Amino acid sequence: QVQLVESGGGSVQAGESLRLSCAASGRPFSTYARGWFRQAPGKEREFVASIRWSNGDPYYSDSVKGRFTISRDRAGKTIYLQMNDLKPEDTAVYYCAAHRVGANTYDYWGQGTQVTVSS
């Protein structure tokens, strides 16, 4: 069993920053990538950012590029999402996910953490 637990969400004003964390625990697995997704009320879940595990290359959606930064700790257990210059449209539940080596897509998901940005 693998658990991904997000933390760091909250309510902020536009222009402020938040840092999300996602800690992995449980049965070890080989990681292809870890990522962040979000789902706003009434909308489908969307990709935010990911990090390729083999080389650390980050990828971002156009909507967050230049404002958000994904990173990982040296132990390879926790990933982070530094979110700067937050906008009201960033309001959503943020989920972290893991894409195992050999899987077709992200197959482990956290429970989500709420981020609310007010203008």
Side-chain angles (χ1 to χ4, degrees):
Q1 189 77 359
V2 173
Q3 292 85 37
L4 301 178
V5 180
E6 303 97 335
S7 60
S11 297
V12 296
Q13 298 285 321
E16 294 183 343
S17 300
L18 280 174
R19 189 193 195 203
L20 304 183
S21 300
C22 174
S25 63
R27 183 166 56 90
F29 61 95
S30 295
T31 305
Y32 174 75
R34 298 262 302 265
W36 290 95
F37 295 75
R38 67 187 182 187
Q39 186 167 20
K43 295 187 177 181
E44 293 187 354
R45 186 168 57 194
E46 65 173 0
F47 169 79
V48 175
S50 67
I51 185 165
R52 184 78 60 85
W53 220 243
S54 60
N55 57 16
D57 282 353
Y59 300 90
Y60 300 97
S61 68
D62 288 343
S63 62
V64 307
K65 198 173 296 182
R67 299 187 298 123
F68 291 11
T69 303
I70 188 170
S71 62
R72 61 183 177 183
D73 69 350
R74 289 192 176 195
K77 294 288 188 182
T78 302
I79 64 169
Y80 306 95
L81 187 68
Q82 177 67 42
M83 305 186 294
N84 297 330
D85 190 24
L86 282 160
K87 305 177 186 299
E89 53 264 40
D90 295 318
T91 295
V93 177
Y94 283 70
Y95 300 90
C96 75
H99 182 170
R100 290 181 298 158
V101 171
N104 292 326
T105 187
Y106 288 87
D107 52 348
Y108 290 133
W109 292 85
Q111 82 288 350
T113 185
Q114 177 70 46
V115 172
T116 302
V117 185
S118 56
S119 57

